Amino acid sequence: MAGSPDHLFNLRNNFYLGSYQAAINNSDLPNLSPDDAVERDCLVYRSYIALGSYQLVINEIDSSAATPLQAVKLLALYLSSPHDKESTISSLKEWLADPAIGNNPILRLIAGIIFTHEEDYNEALKHTNAGGTMELCVFPFVFIFLSVSSLSIFLLYS
């Protein structure tokens, strides 16, 4: 039995390969379901973040946007305002504690990214270890790989 086509395959592929500009340029996808449209927008805005366009993301995502988009905006706020990190982290912790939105996979992924930047690895893994999406399933393995790689480099050069 064939499943429905994955309309976001090329967009995800460009994003995961680091071709952020290609992801942005090829994001005009018609006839997406509402959930797919939110996922598309998350990937596009995360591409803008990867390219350093934090303010564009902050300006374009308004307060009525879906939770995943709000989480992406929170990441842009975190990366763009080093002096406001505490308020951003406080908002993130509030959202994660909210039973209505705390289980959102994009919110949990953004939490993992932010807590990793903060070097709070226990919190990062706490919010990403339940899986649910490919990125959440891979997050702990990438984390371990990077930890082992940096340890190996440290030991090699010490």
PDB file of all heavy atoms in Angstrom, residues 11 15 36-49 61 66-72 106:
ATOM      1  N   LEU A  11      12.578  19.927   0.391  1.00  0.00           N
ATOM      2  CA  LEU A  11      12.852  21.008   1.342  1.00  0.00           C
ATOM      3  C   LEU A  11      13.639  20.482   2.538  1.00  0.00           C
ATOM      4  O   LEU A  11      14.654  21.063   2.940  1.00  0.00           O
ATOM      5  CB  LEU A  11      11.538  21.649   1.795  1.00  0.00           C
ATOM      6  CG  LEU A  11      11.625  22.771   2.814  1.00  0.00           C
ATOM      7  CD1 LEU A  11      12.437  23.938   2.272  1.00  0.00           C
ATOM      8  CD2 LEU A  11      10.243  23.221   3.218  1.00  0.00           C
ATOM      9  N   PHE A  15      17.530  21.359   3.634  1.00  0.00           N
ATOM     10  CA  PHE A  15      17.809  21.850   4.986  1.00  0.00           C
ATOM     11  C   PHE A  15      18.825  20.957   5.692  1.00  0.00           C
ATOM     12  O   PHE A  15      19.812  21.442   6.246  1.00  0.00           O
ATOM     13  CB  PHE A  15      16.516  21.947   5.804  1.00  0.00           C
ATOM     14  CG  PHE A  15      16.743  22.401   7.206  1.00  0.00           C
ATOM     15  CD1 PHE A  15      16.916  23.747   7.481  1.00  0.00           C
ATOM     16  CD2 PHE A  15      16.798  21.499   8.257  1.00  0.00           C
ATOM     17  CE1 PHE A  15      17.148  24.190   8.786  1.00  0.00           C
ATOM     18  CE2 PHE A  15      17.028  21.923   9.553  1.00  0.00           C
ATOM     19  CZ  PHE A  15      17.205  23.268   9.817  1.00  0.00           C
ATOM     20  N   ASP A  36       1.594  20.390   7.241  1.00  0.00           N
ATOM     21  CA  ASP A  36       2.753  20.465   6.347  1.00  0.00           C
ATOM     22  C   ASP A  36       3.177  21.910   6.118  1.00  0.00           C
ATOM     23  O   ASP A  36       4.373  22.208   6.009  1.00  0.00           O
ATOM     24  CB  ASP A  36       2.465  19.790   5.008  1.00  0.00           C
ATOM     25  CG  ASP A  36       2.540  18.275   5.082  1.00  0.00           C
ATOM     26  OD1 ASP A  36       3.033  17.742   6.104  1.00  0.00           O
ATOM     27  OD2 ASP A  36       2.103  17.610   4.109  1.00  0.00           O
ATOM     28  N   ALA A  37       2.222  22.828   6.044  1.00  0.00           N
ATOM     29  CA  ALA A  37       2.545  24.247   5.852  1.00  0.00           C
ATOM     30  C   ALA A  37       3.315  24.790   7.052  1.00  0.00           C
ATOM     31  O   ALA A  37       4.285  25.543   6.885  1.00  0.00           O
ATOM     32  CB  ALA A  37       1.279  25.052   5.615  1.00  0.00           C
ATOM     33  N   VAL A  38       2.930  24.383   8.256  1.00  0.00           N
ATOM     34  CA  VAL A  38       3.651  24.821   9.458  1.00  0.00           C
ATOM     35  C   VAL A  38       5.055  24.228   9.457  1.00  0.00           C
ATOM     36  O   VAL A  38       6.035  24.924   9.746  1.00  0.00           O
ATOM     37  CB  VAL A  38       2.880  24.440  10.747  1.00  0.00           C
ATOM     38  CG1 VAL A  38       3.747  24.626  11.989  1.00  0.00           C
ATOM     39  CG2 VAL A  38       1.599  25.252  10.863  1.00  0.00           C
ATOM     40  N   GLU A  39       5.174  22.946   9.100  1.00  0.00           N
ATOM     41  CA  GLU A  39       6.506  22.325   9.056  1.00  0.00           C
ATOM     42  C   GLU A  39       7.376  23.001   8.002  1.00  0.00           C
ATOM     43  O   GLU A  39       8.566  23.249   8.232  1.00  0.00           O
ATOM     44  CB  GLU A  39       6.396  20.826   8.768  1.00  0.00           C
ATOM     45  CG  GLU A  39       7.736  20.137   8.816  1.00  0.00           C
ATOM     46  CD  GLU A  39       7.682  18.637   8.600  1.00  0.00           C
ATOM     47  OE1 GLU A  39       6.575  18.069   8.543  1.00  0.00           O
ATOM     48  OE2 GLU A  39       8.765  18.035   8.470  1.00  0.00           O
ATOM     49  N   ARG A  40       6.793  23.310   6.834  1.00  0.00           N
ATOM     50  CA  ARG A  40       7.534  24.023   5.792  1.00  0.00           C
ATOM     51  C   ARG A  40       8.040  25.358   6.328  1.00  0.00           C
ATOM     52  O   ARG A  40       9.210  25.693   6.179  1.00  0.00           O
ATOM     53  CB  ARG A  40       6.643  24.269   4.573  1.00  0.00           C
ATOM     54  CG  ARG A  40       7.346  25.111   3.497  1.00  0.00           C
ATOM     55  CD  ARG A  40       6.425  25.890   2.614  1.00  0.00           C
ATOM     56  NE  ARG A  40       5.480  26.671   3.376  1.00  0.00           N
ATOM     57  CZ  ARG A  40       4.288  27.015   2.913  1.00  0.00           C
ATOM     58  NH1 ARG A  40       3.881  26.620   1.727  1.00  0.00           N
ATOM     59  NH2 ARG A  40       3.480  27.747   3.654  1.00  0.00           N
ATOM     60  N   ASP A  41       7.147  26.108   6.969  1.00  0.00           N
ATOM     61  CA  ASP A  41       7.533  27.419   7.495  1.00  0.00           C
ATOM     62  C   ASP A  41       8.633  27.290   8.549  1.00  0.00           C
ATOM     63  O   ASP A  41       9.560  28.097   8.584  1.00  0.00           O
ATOM     64  CB  ASP A  41       6.320  28.143   8.070  1.00  0.00           C
ATOM     65  CG  ASP A  41       5.311  28.547   6.996  1.00  0.00           C
ATOM     66  OD1 ASP A  41       5.650  28.490   5.789  1.00  0.00           O
ATOM     67  OD2 ASP A  41       4.181  28.907   7.370  1.00  0.00           O
ATOM     68  N   CYS A  42       8.556  26.269   9.382  1.00  0.00           N
ATOM     69  CA  CYS A  42       9.599  26.046  10.389  1.00  0.00           C
ATOM     70  C   CYS A  42      10.950  25.793   9.723  1.00  0.00           C
ATOM     71  O   CYS A  42      11.971  26.362  10.135  1.00  0.00           O
ATOM     72  CB  CYS A  42       9.242  24.879  11.300  1.00  0.00           C
ATOM     73  SG  CYS A  42       7.961  25.256  12.497  1.00  0.00           S
ATOM     74  N   LEU A  43      10.962  24.964   8.695  1.00  0.00           N
ATOM     75  CA  LEU A  43      12.215  24.672   7.991  1.00  0.00           C
ATOM     76  C   LEU A  43      12.760  25.918   7.300  1.00  0.00           C
ATOM     77  O   LEU A  43      13.972  26.169   7.312  1.00  0.00           O
ATOM     78  CB  LEU A  43      12.008  23.541   6.987  1.00  0.00           C
ATOM     79  CG  LEU A  43      11.798  22.154   7.592  1.00  0.00           C
ATOM     80  CD1 LEU A  43      11.305  21.178   6.541  1.00  0.00           C
ATOM     81  CD2 LEU A  43      13.078  21.649   8.232  1.00  0.00           C
ATOM     82  N   VAL A  44      11.877  26.697   6.705  1.00  0.00           N
ATOM     83  CA  VAL A  44      12.312  27.921   6.024  1.00  0.00           C
ATOM     84  C   VAL A  44      12.879  28.913   7.033  1.00  0.00           C
ATOM     85  O   VAL A  44      13.972  29.467   6.831  1.00  0.00           O
ATOM     86  CB  VAL A  44      11.150  28.541   5.212  1.00  0.00           C
ATOM     87  CG1 VAL A  44      11.503  29.942   4.728  1.00  0.00           C
ATOM     88  CG2 VAL A  44      10.792  27.652   4.033  1.00  0.00           C
ATOM     89  N   TYR A  45      12.175  29.135   8.139  1.00  0.00           N
ATOM     90  CA  TYR A  45      12.667  30.082   9.135  1.00  0.00           C
ATOM     91  C   TYR A  45      13.938  29.574   9.815  1.00  0.00           C
ATOM     92  O   TYR A  45      14.828  30.366  10.146  1.00  0.00           O
ATOM     93  CB  TYR A  45      11.582  30.410  10.161  1.00  0.00           C
ATOM     94  CG  TYR A  45      10.501  31.307   9.599  1.00  0.00           C
ATOM     95  CD1 TYR A  45       9.162  30.954   9.691  1.00  0.00           C
ATOM     96  CD2 TYR A  45      10.816  32.501   8.957  1.00  0.00           C
ATOM     97  CE1 TYR A  45       8.169  31.777   9.176  1.00  0.00           C
ATOM     98  CE2 TYR A  45       9.828  33.323   8.433  1.00  0.00           C
ATOM     99  CZ  TYR A  45       8.512  32.956   8.545  1.00  0.00           C
ATOM    100  OH  TYR A  45       7.539  33.770   8.032  1.00  0.00           O
ATOM    101  N   ARG A  46      14.035  28.282  10.019  1.00  0.00           N
ATOM    102  CA  ARG A  46      15.288  27.737  10.569  1.00  0.00           C
ATOM    103  C   ARG A  46      16.427  27.908   9.572  1.00  0.00           C
ATOM    104  O   ARG A  46      17.583  28.105   9.970  1.00  0.00           O
ATOM    105  CB  ARG A  46      15.112  26.267  10.962  1.00  0.00           C
ATOM    106  CG  ARG A  46      14.263  26.127  12.224  1.00  0.00           C
ATOM    107  CD  ARG A  46      13.965  24.695  12.564  1.00  0.00           C
ATOM    108  NE  ARG A  46      15.186  23.943  12.826  1.00  0.00           N
ATOM    109  CZ  ARG A  46      15.257  22.612  12.736  1.00  0.00           C
ATOM    110  NH1 ARG A  46      14.192  21.898  12.410  1.00  0.00           N
ATOM    111  NH2 ARG A  46      16.387  21.999  12.993  1.00  0.00           N
ATOM    112  N   SER A  47      16.123  27.868   8.288  1.00  0.00           N
ATOM    113  CA  SER A  47      17.143  28.142   7.264  1.00  0.00           C
ATOM    114  C   SER A  47      17.607  29.589   7.367  1.00  0.00           C
ATOM    115  O   SER A  47      18.807  29.874   7.280  1.00  0.00           O
ATOM    116  CB  SER A  47      16.586  27.861   5.867  1.00  0.00           C
ATOM    117  OG  SER A  47      16.314  26.501   5.690  1.00  0.00           O
ATOM    118  N   TYR A  48      16.663  30.498   7.543  1.00  0.00           N
ATOM    119  CA  TYR A  48      17.039  31.901   7.726  1.00  0.00           C
ATOM    120  C   TYR A  48      17.908  32.071   8.967  1.00  0.00           C
ATOM    121  O   TYR A  48      18.888  32.823   8.957  1.00  0.00           O
ATOM    122  CB  TYR A  48      15.803  32.797   7.833  1.00  0.00           C
ATOM    123  CG  TYR A  48      15.184  33.159   6.506  1.00  0.00           C
ATOM    124  CD1 TYR A  48      13.892  32.750   6.184  1.00  0.00           C
ATOM    125  CD2 TYR A  48      15.885  33.918   5.567  1.00  0.00           C
ATOM    126  CE1 TYR A  48      13.316  33.091   4.965  1.00  0.00           C
ATOM    127  CE2 TYR A  48      15.317  34.255   4.344  1.00  0.00           C
ATOM    128  CZ  TYR A  48      14.035  33.838   4.050  1.00  0.00           C
ATOM    129  OH  TYR A  48      13.476  34.177   2.850  1.00  0.00           O
ATOM    130  N   ILE A  49      17.560  31.375  10.035  1.00  0.00           N
ATOM    131  CA  ILE A  49      18.367  31.442  11.255  1.00  0.00           C
ATOM    132  C   ILE A  49      19.771  30.924  10.978  1.00  0.00           C
ATOM    133  O   ILE A  49      20.763  31.530  11.400  1.00  0.00           O
ATOM    134  CB  ILE A  49      17.695  30.660  12.405  1.00  0.00           C
ATOM    135  CG1 ILE A  49      16.438  31.398  12.873  1.00  0.00           C
ATOM    136  CG2 ILE A  49      18.664  30.443  13.562  1.00  0.00           C
ATOM    137  CD1 ILE A  49      15.578  30.608  13.854  1.00  0.00           C
ATOM    138  N   ILE A  61       7.323  36.256  12.283  1.00  0.00           N
ATOM    139  CA  ILE A  61       6.491  35.340  13.069  1.00  0.00           C
ATOM    140  C   ILE A  61       5.784  36.155  14.149  1.00  0.00           C
ATOM    141  O   ILE A  61       6.425  36.670  15.062  1.00  0.00           O
ATOM    142  CB  ILE A  61       7.326  34.200  13.695  1.00  0.00           C
ATOM    143  CG1 ILE A  61       7.992  33.368  12.603  1.00  0.00           C
ATOM    144  CG2 ILE A  61       6.441  33.324  14.574  1.00  0.00           C
ATOM    145  CD1 ILE A  61       8.931  32.307  13.117  1.00  0.00           C
ATOM    146  N   ALA A  66       1.444  29.427  15.075  1.00  0.00           N
ATOM    147  CA  ALA A  66       1.392  28.115  15.738  1.00  0.00           C
ATOM    148  C   ALA A  66       2.598  27.923  16.659  1.00  0.00           C
ATOM    149  O   ALA A  66       3.642  28.555  16.480  1.00  0.00           O
ATOM    150  CB  ALA A  66       1.355  27.014  14.684  1.00  0.00           C
ATOM    151  N   THR A  67       2.443  27.034  17.631  1.00  0.00           N
ATOM    152  CA  THR A  67       3.496  26.772  18.620  1.00  0.00           C
ATOM    153  C   THR A  67       4.854  26.453  17.994  1.00  0.00           C
ATOM    154  O   THR A  67       5.870  27.000  18.437  1.00  0.00           O
ATOM    155  CB  THR A  67       3.065  25.623  19.562  1.00  0.00           C
ATOM    156  OG1 THR A  67       1.875  26.026  20.243  1.00  0.00           O
ATOM    157  CG2 THR A  67       4.147  25.290  20.571  1.00  0.00           C
ATOM    158  N   PRO A  68       4.930  25.592  16.959  1.00  0.00           N
ATOM    159  CA  PRO A  68       6.252  25.328  16.384  1.00  0.00           C
ATOM    160  C   PRO A  68       6.922  26.595  15.843  1.00  0.00           C
ATOM    161  O   PRO A  68       8.134  26.770  16.013  1.00  0.00           O
ATOM    162  CB  PRO A  68       5.956  24.343  15.250  1.00  0.00           C
ATOM    163  CG  PRO A  68       4.674  23.707  15.613  1.00  0.00           C
ATOM    164  CD  PRO A  68       3.900  24.752  16.350  1.00  0.00           C
ATOM    165  N   LEU A  69       6.147  27.470  15.240  1.00  0.00           N
ATOM    166  CA  LEU A  69       6.721  28.710  14.724  1.00  0.00           C
ATOM    167  C   LEU A  69       7.143  29.638  15.864  1.00  0.00           C
ATOM    168  O   LEU A  69       8.177  30.307  15.769  1.00  0.00           O
ATOM    169  CB  LEU A  69       5.726  29.406  13.797  1.00  0.00           C
ATOM    170  CG  LEU A  69       5.495  28.682  12.476  1.00  0.00           C
ATOM    171  CD1 LEU A  69       4.299  29.261  11.740  1.00  0.00           C
ATOM    172  CD2 LEU A  69       6.732  28.743  11.603  1.00  0.00           C
ATOM    173  N   GLN A  70       6.370  29.651  16.930  1.00  0.00           N
ATOM    174  CA  GLN A  70       6.756  30.436  18.106  1.00  0.00           C
ATOM    175  C   GLN A  70       8.078  29.918  18.678  1.00  0.00           C
ATOM    176  O   GLN A  70       8.921  30.704  19.124  1.00  0.00           O
ATOM    177  CB  GLN A  70       5.662  30.388  19.176  1.00  0.00           C
ATOM    178  CG  GLN A  70       4.391  31.096  18.806  1.00  0.00           C
ATOM    179  CD  GLN A  70       4.574  32.590  18.632  1.00  0.00           C
ATOM    180  OE1 GLN A  70       5.426  33.211  19.257  1.00  0.00           O
ATOM    181  NE2 GLN A  70       3.777  33.165  17.769  1.00  0.00           N
ATOM    182  N   ALA A  71       8.260  28.606  18.657  1.00  0.00           N
ATOM    183  CA  ALA A  71       9.510  28.016  19.152  1.00  0.00           C
ATOM    184  C   ALA A  71      10.686  28.441  18.276  1.00  0.00           C
ATOM    185  O   ALA A  71      11.766  28.766  18.785  1.00  0.00           O
ATOM    186  CB  ALA A  71       9.387  26.494  19.196  1.00  0.00           C
ATOM    187  N   VAL A  72      10.479  28.457  16.966  1.00  0.00           N
ATOM    188  CA  VAL A  72      11.542  28.891  16.048  1.00  0.00           C
ATOM    189  C   VAL A  72      11.870  30.363  16.302  1.00  0.00           C
ATOM    190  O   VAL A  72      13.042  30.758  16.304  1.00  0.00           O
ATOM    191  CB  VAL A  72      11.134  28.632  14.582  1.00  0.00           C
ATOM    192  CG1 VAL A  72      12.124  29.252  13.616  1.00  0.00           C
ATOM    193  CG2 VAL A  72      11.017  27.131  14.327  1.00  0.00           C
ATOM    194  N   ILE A 106       8.764  20.241  17.727  1.00  0.00           N
ATOM    195  CA  ILE A 106       9.628  21.357  17.336  1.00  0.00           C
ATOM    196  C   ILE A 106      10.057  22.144  18.576  1.00  0.00           C
ATOM    197  O   ILE A 106      11.225  22.532  18.704  1.00  0.00           O
ATOM    198  CB  ILE A 106       8.920  22.282  16.317  1.00  0.00           C
ATOM    199  CG1 ILE A 106       8.580  21.524  15.034  1.00  0.00           C
ATOM    200  CG2 ILE A 106       9.771  23.515  16.015  1.00  0.00           C
ATOM    201  CD1 ILE A 106       9.757  21.101  14.197  1.00  0.00           C
TER     202      ILE A 106
END
